[in-house]
Amino acid sequence: MCGIIGYIGEKNAVPVIIDGLKKLEYRGYDSAGIAINIGNELKIEKKQGRIINLEKSLDNDLYANVGIGHTRWATHGEPSEINAHPHYNIDKSIAVIHNGIIENYTELKKWLEGEGIKFISETDTEVVAHLVSYYYNGDLVKAVTESLKRLRGAYALGVVAKDEPDKIVAVRKDSPLVIGLGKEENFIASDVPAILKHTKNVLYLDNDDMAILTKNEVKIFNGNGDRVERDIETIEWDMEAAEKGGYPHFTIKEINEQPEGIQKVIDRRINDDGKIVLDGINLSKDDIEKISRIYIVACGTSYHAGLVGKYVIEKFAKLPVQVEIGSEFRYKDPLIDDKTLIITVSQSGETLDTLQSLRIAKEQGARIMSIVNVVGSSIARESDDVFYTWAGPEIGVASTKAFTTQMLTFYLIALFMADKLEVIEKEKYDSIIKEIKKIPNDIQTILDNYKDIQKIADEQFNNEKIFFIGRGLDVEISYEASLKLKEISYINSQAIAAGELKHGTIALIEEGTLVVAIATQDKLYEKMLSNIKEVKARKGSILSIAKEGNNEINDISDYRLSIPNTIDILTPLLSIVPMQLFAYYVSVARGNDVDMPRNLAKSVTVE
Ligand code: AGP
């Protein structure tokens, strides 16, 4: 989705903004632009395509101490130079960058056109530039304040005016915006990597906050116009964590970071006695007993982690769980009251579908817990309790390390609840904890065998369609494996419960069709063998994933991959890893942009 950066200070704003935009590339974008105040004018440059196009179009001697920049991911209007941000008013004295959607822009546009204003783009954002201009009378803060009264929708805005080179005005409503605090310089950004090179001290704006940035000061006003202070937070990770560190892509770097990420969660959440530490989250036996219903709400990969979450909470804690897609949940009038526990799951913590569901549930009295990776994100801030996944920055659009840490977090929540409710025997609990502690090593074993997977990918990358089948927990991993492959390889892929294949989808199996069979569940292993045979009988090809030692599957597989032995319920933490590697190597073999696949965005802040 769109990215925002703004700079005011002693340095030349141009390289700071361009560099910041490059750090935001991972969010996904189709055009980029910059507006800087060069004294007698706002210099506005925009280009379709990569940031490098924009960079090349700028004069080498361009200099300014204040400016804003934007990467756009098209929502209203096609990707084009004209539709790229910043947008500006008629005489180019006011420029605006915007993330989100102005819902009432048609109505505002009509009214502004009635006032004689000619629009040049198809975007919703352009109305903001004209609206601010309409109210502008030498005071940018006042003009933005007046404009906000008329805007509906979600927005993070950065606004500059030619005649006020000493300030940037920034606003946040339902779209993330962070303020970076430096020495004689301040920043705005849609997310931290854009400014991390310059400062680790940030503050997150609350909904409806307006920030006025000058070189030496940041003043914040809440939605009522009262001056407020927001806590300054220090970012714990550094730029290295957000760079490729010798890997060709972020995606493969992040796949390889999983043993470390899982280890971090284990170290922070399981104490020496094997007890689970919730880190300030108050979840007493009474609290858990009070829960009548649990909804897990999430999108995409996080939703798949939720499917595993349901399985383990029901198995360990014996509580009923429903898993819901964020974009559906909020519109289906779910049954919610103060006995409902909502667990939202989100890597970015900004996914609007999930966030809006959270808000609706909160309004209706539910307790909100969240599993989130990005510290200080909207979902984290609006939840009653947050389980951070501590996976570090995930830059590749395809979520990998966030997924495994989300799943692990669910295991720990489920075991914690089961322990509190006394519905799990101590021996069983201890043996699961013991097995969990082996997971980082087991993942490393899979990663070390990457060449086997790369070889299969190099032979199979030209497929037009690939199916994934599994039973039990392997179905959930099939969904995620299929999504991963689709996202970065663009191969048409479908995941289906293996037993369901014969009820229709088997019609699509022809000679050579690749079917990935995930068969890690001991009690369902033989059933899987039968389903694989059904595929073989139609001359399909099989890539199977099974626990090491389970070798009957070899004879009916064209390719075979192994995961280290663990108890059935923990296999998702392992079986997804070869699937991530497979998707990655197929994508590389097809020459795709692995980290920034077409049409996708890292953080989906529109509905
Ligand atoms: C994952 O590979 C996808 N890019 C996507 O499905 C993602 O998981 C989804 O948009 C939800 O994002 P979130 O976890 O940041 O909420």
Side-chain angles (χ1 to χ4, degrees):
M1 295 273 120
C2 308
I4 281 180
I5 166 120
Y7 175 80
I8 184 158
E10 290 287 307
K11 294 180 193 142
N12 183 3
V14 181
V16 175
I17 293 171
I18 293 293
D19 181 68
L21 289 178
K22 286 182 183 166
K23 297 285 179 324
L24 293 174
E25 281 191 299
Y26 74 94
R27 291 171 65 95
Y29 71 105
D30 45 58
S31 51
I34 183 170
I36 52 164
N37 197 323
I38 55 171
N40 53 350
E41 66 168 300
L42 285 183
K43 180 94 184 144
I44 299 168
E45 285 292 341
K46 314 199 266 189
K47 281 282 169 279
Q48 193 182 338
R50 295 297 183 215
I51 289 161
I52 190 79
N53 303 346
L54 173 69
E55 194 175 10
K56 279 186 188 154
S57 72
L58 301 173
D59 292 342
N60 285 338
D61 55 357
L62 208 53
Y63 185 92
N65 295 124
V66 57
I68 50 179
H70 190 266
T71 48
R72 173 173 186 255
W73 186 84
T75 55
H76 293 63
E78 57 169 12
S80 69
E81 196 165 308
I82 268 295
N83 287 335
H85 301 210
H87 288 280
Y88 44 84
N89 61 339
I90 302 287
D91 66 1
K92 285 196 176 179
S93 59
I94 284 165
V96 174
I97 49 175
H98 165 220
N99 283 4
I101 288 176
I102 307 296
E103 281 167 4
N104 59 337
Y105 87 102
T106 335
E107 162 198 326
L108 288 170
K109 185 172 176 177
K110 225 167 156 192
W111 171 72
L112 285 161
E113 280 172 339
E115 294 291 317
I117 292 162
K118 282 209 164 38
F119 280 71
I120 55 173
S121 78
E122 302 157 85
T123 66
D124 51 337
T125 306
E126 195 183 344
V127 296
V128 184
H130 294 304
L131 200 58
V132 174
S133 175
Y134 178 86
Y135 288 115
Y136 189 69
N137 204 356
D139 185 340
L140 185 62
V141 174
K142 224 173 172 177
V144 174
T145 309
E146 285 308 308
S147 305
L148 293 179
K149 292 179 188 161
R150 306 205 48 182
L151 295 181
R152 269 204 331 267
Y155 42 81
L157 296 170
V159 191
V160 289
K162 178 190 76 149
D163 296 334
E164 294 178 66
D166 62 334
K167 66 171 73 78
I168 299 176
V169 178
V171 184
R172 183 229 150 115
K173 183 173 180 284
D174 292 337
S175 212
L177 199 64
V178 60
I179 307 286
L181 307 168
K183 199 165 168 251
E184 295 198 327
E185 58 184 6
N186 290 308
F187 307 80
I188 59 170
S190 49
D191 48 1
V192 172
I195 54 173
L196 198 57
K197 192 171 164 184
H198 308 281
T199 182
K200 286 189 159 197
N201 295 328
V202 301
L203 49 87
Y204 296 93
L205 295 184
D206 273 3
N207 245 353
D208 296 319
D209 278 357
M210 174 194 282
I212 301 156
L213 287 81
T214 59
K215 177 174 86 170
N216 292 314
E217 195 183 22
V218 176
K219 285 187 197 159
I220 301 172
F221 297 88
N222 66 15
N224 298 326
D226 301 326
R227 176 96 189 254
V228 287
E229 299 294 328
R230 301 286 174 225
D231 294 342
I232 298 176
E233 297 184 31
T234 308
I235 300 298
E236 282 182 31
W237 43 276
D238 52 23
M239 261 334 277
E240 211 182 296
E243 274 165 4
K244 286 184 198 152
Y247 287 96
H249 301 100
F250 282 112
T251 306
I252 188 67
K253 174 181 177 242
E254 288 157 7
I255 291 172
N256 275 285
E257 282 171 346
Q258 291 178 110
E260 192 192 324
I262 293 284
Q263 189 63 55
K264 205 187 263 179
V265 178
I266 291 173
D267 292 345
R268 289 173 84 155
R269 293 245 181 255
I270 305 179
N271 72 15
D272 294 344
D273 304 328
K275 286 283 171 205
I276 291 158
V277 184
L278 293 195
D279 227 9
I281 296 171
N282 194 7
L283 197 57
S284 66
K285 188 176 180 192
D286 277 358
D287 291 334
I288 306 170
E289 276 173 344
K290 205 186 112 189
I291 299 168
S292 63
R293 177 193 298 270
I294 300 177
Y295 285 113
I296 296 174
V297 186
C299 304
T301 288
S302 297
Y303 171 80
H304 297 149
L307 294 176
V308 175
K310 168 188 166 71
Y311 196 96
V312 295
I313 293 174
E314 290 187 343
K315 272 275 175 306
F316 293 155
K318 321 270 185 248
L319 293 168
V321 182
Q322 247 170 281
V323 194
E324 300 281 349
I325 292 170
S327 54
E328 291 296 317
F329 183 69
R330 55 175 302 204
Y331 295 111
K332 53 162 50 165
D333 295 329
L335 295 171
I336 296 174
D337 59 23
D338 60 354
K339 293 192 188 71
T340 310
L341 175 67
I342 303 281
I343 307 181
T344 56
V345 194
S346 177
Q347 187 287 128
S348 62
E350 301 295 351
T351 301
L352 196 61
D353 290 324
T354 308
L355 181 60
Q356 298 290 38
S357 295
L358 175 160
R359 288 179 178 152
I360 283 159
K362 202 172 178 178
E363 263 168 34
Q364 293 175 34
R367 176 170 179 176
I368 314 286
M369 276 188 183
S370 291
I371 300 177
V372 173
N373 193 39
V374 177
V375 175
S377 55
S378 306
I379 291 178
R381 279 151 10 98
E382 295 189 32
S383 300
D384 298 308
D385 307 291
V386 187
F387 291 89
Y388 282 114
T389 43
W390 300 309
E394 193 182 66
I395 309 287
V397 164
S399 185
T400 53
K401 61 178 180 173
F403 179 64
T404 38
T405 52
Q406 286 167 346
M407 285 195 290
L408 178 58
T409 306
F410 270 121
Y411 284 100
L412 300 180
I413 293 172
L415 283 170
F416 179 90
M417 287 176 160
D419 188 33
K420 282 270 171 208
L421 293 172
E422 297 168 45
V423 291
I424 189 165
E425 291 145 24
K426 184 170 175 345
E427 260 172 36
K428 189 173 175 196
Y429 176 96
D430 289 344
S431 70
I432 296 168
I433 294 286
K434 200 168 147 210
E435 283 296 313
I436 286 179
K437 288 186 174 169
K438 290 187 199 156
I439 295 291
N441 265 337
D442 290 346
I443 296 182
Q444 193 55 55
T445 306
I446 297 169
L447 293 170
D448 291 344
N449 287 331
Y450 75 93
K451 283 201 173 132
D452 295 347
I453 301 167
Q454 187 173 18
K455 195 163 166 276
I456 303 170
D458 285 346
E459 285 176 25
Q460 291 291 336
F461 75 94
N462 256 333
N463 268 295
E464 277 175 18
K465 56 183 181 202
I466 296 182
F467 294 90
F468 290 81
I469 58 170
R471 282 173 171 262
L473 273 171
D474 289 337
V475 185
E476 327 301 13
I477 293 307
S478 296
Y479 291 140
E480 174 56 11
S482 170
L483 178 67
K484 216 78 311 171
L485 183 76
K486 265 187 272 221
E487 280 187 296
I488 59 177
S489 75
Y490 315 145
I491 292 175
N492 191 354
S493 168
Q494 195 185 332
I496 183 162
E500 187 65 9
L501 198 63
K502 58 185 175 293
H503 295 289
T505 307
I506 202 161
L508 300 175
I509 308 292
E510 332 168 68
E511 184 162 359
T513 304
L514 185 66
V515 177
V516 181
I518 308 182
T520 69
Q521 303 295 295
D522 287 342
K523 74 168 194 258
L524 297 164
Y525 181 62
E526 293 200 336
K527 297 268 179 249
M528 274 302 290
L529 296 183
S530 305
N531 297 135
I532 291 171
K533 283 178 192 157
E534 288 162 12
V535 174
K536 290 303 295 174
R538 274 86 191 166
K539 298 195 169 56
S541 296
I542 293 287
L543 160 58
S544 61
I545 292 108
K547 285 183 188 163
E548 55 190 18
N550 279 354
N551 290 332
E552 308 78 356
I553 206 166
N554 298 357
D555 293 341
I556 49 172
S557 301
D558 299 81
Y559 306 97
R560 147 81 198 245
L561 293 170
S562 292
I563 59 163
N565 243 308
T566 187
I567 46 178
D568 276 9
I569 202 154
L570 295 183
T571 61
L573 293 164
L574 301 180
S575 55
I576 191 55
V577 180
M579 298 292 85
Q580 294 167 340
L581 288 169
F582 179 65
Y584 172 75
Y585 287 116
V586 168
S587 175
V588 171
R590 289 168 76 98
N592 292 352
D593 190 343
V594 185
D595 289 335
M596 280 183 284
R598 69 183 182 206
N599 305 340
L600 298 181
K602 184 66 188 162
S603 159
V604 185
T605 48
V606 292
E607 272 190 59

